[in-house]
Amino acid sequence: MGVSAGGALAQLLALDYAGCVLSLVLISASSAVPGDRELPASTEEFMRFVSAGHVDWTDADSVIDYGVAYARVLRGAGARSMRPPPAALSER
């Protein structure tokens, strides 16, 4: 999985080690190599979240809440609910 610049890095590693990679999940990443295929743009919901989201990295509850909200934005509005809830997993 790669988000943003991590998505570009994941693509490059997948190209260099193709025999070790079954699939990639790229989030808000641009193509790491030149090509004629355009990637879809980020959704408005995602852009609103990343521009307005706030997390206090010194507060565990704030970090968990941010992670849960981020996971919900990434999965999209039409996705089924996650079980167990992400916050429950984060607290383990």
Side-chain angles (χ1 to χ4, degrees):
M1 172 186 254
V3 179
S4 192
L9 178 61
Q11 291 173 68
L12 294 173
L13 289 171
L15 289 169
D16 287 346
Y17 302 97
C20 299
V21 178
L22 295 176
S23 66
L24 286 176
V25 176
L26 303 174
I27 302 165
S28 290
S30 297
S31 178
V33 295
D36 59 352
R37 293 176 44 180
E38 291 291 322
L39 296 173
S42 297
T43 65
E44 288 182 30
E45 180 185 13
F46 179 80
M47 295 306 294
R48 275 193 306 273
F49 179 82
V50 296
S51 65
H54 174 73
V55 61
D56 177 356
W57 295 104
T58 65
D59 177 25
D61 287 335
S62 177
V63 173
I64 291 169
D65 290 345
Y66 181 84
V68 169
Y70 188 59
R72 287 186 174 134
V73 169
L74 293 180
R75 74 182 175 142
R80 296 184 308 188
S81 64
M82 294 183 263
R83 302 218 191 298
L89 295 174
S90 299
E91 292 170 351
R92 291 185 183 169

